Amino acid sequence: MEAFPEWGRLVKVLRGKDQGGCAVIIGIVDDRFVLIADGNKHRFDGPKKKSLLHLELLPVVSSEVADSMRETGRVTNAKLRFAIQKYNERKGE
């Protein structure tokens, strides 16, 4: 299954200061760049613009984040943190 960038998709950062960390796609700039946020260092109001080449798209889409983005165009930082935490817990099992 080919993962593609979309709202709510979790990503692993492969390059840069946040290398190794997880984040959630909250915006798509064009076919090469997306906006990511993790709810802590990069909050919804100050997302990080990142090249898709520097991200690993994970096979997980947070329905809470995607639904919130579709309905209101925003998502809370708590929801972003929750989505990442839930992924990390599932990965750890």
Side-chain angles (χ1 to χ4, degrees), residues 13-69:
V13 181
L14 303 176
R15 297 261 187 301
K17 284 186 215 154
D18 307 320
Q19 185 171 349
C22 284
V24 182
I25 294 177
I26 59 162
I28 294 158
V29 178
D30 55 29
D31 57 354
R32 293 190 20 239
F33 291 95
V34 293
L35 299 175
I36 61 171
D38 61 11
N40 285 322
K41 189 173 168 210
H42 299 293
R43 300 175 84 77
F44 178 82
D45 293 323
K48 179 97 178 106
K49 182 179 175 188
K50 208 78 175 129
S51 165
L52 286 169
L53 298 174
H54 295 171
L55 298 172
E56 176 190 339
L57 298 176
L58 299 172
V60 178
V61 175
S62 166
S63 56
E64 291 101 341
V65 173
D67 292 344
S68 178
M69 289 292 290

Side-chain angles (χ1 to χ4, degrees), residues 10 23-24 26 37-45 62 64-66 68 74-87 89:
L10 273 76
V24 182
I26 59 162
D38 61 11
N40 285 322
K41 189 173 168 210
H42 299 293
R43 300 175 84 77
F44 178 82
D45 293 323
S62 166
E64 291 101 341
V65 173
S68 178
R74 315 183 41 84
V75 64
T76 63
N77 291 307
K79 264 191 191 143
L80 294 171
R81 289 191 297 269
F82 176 74
I84 293 168
Q85 178 190 351
K86 204 162 80 169
Y87 169 74
E89 284 169 4

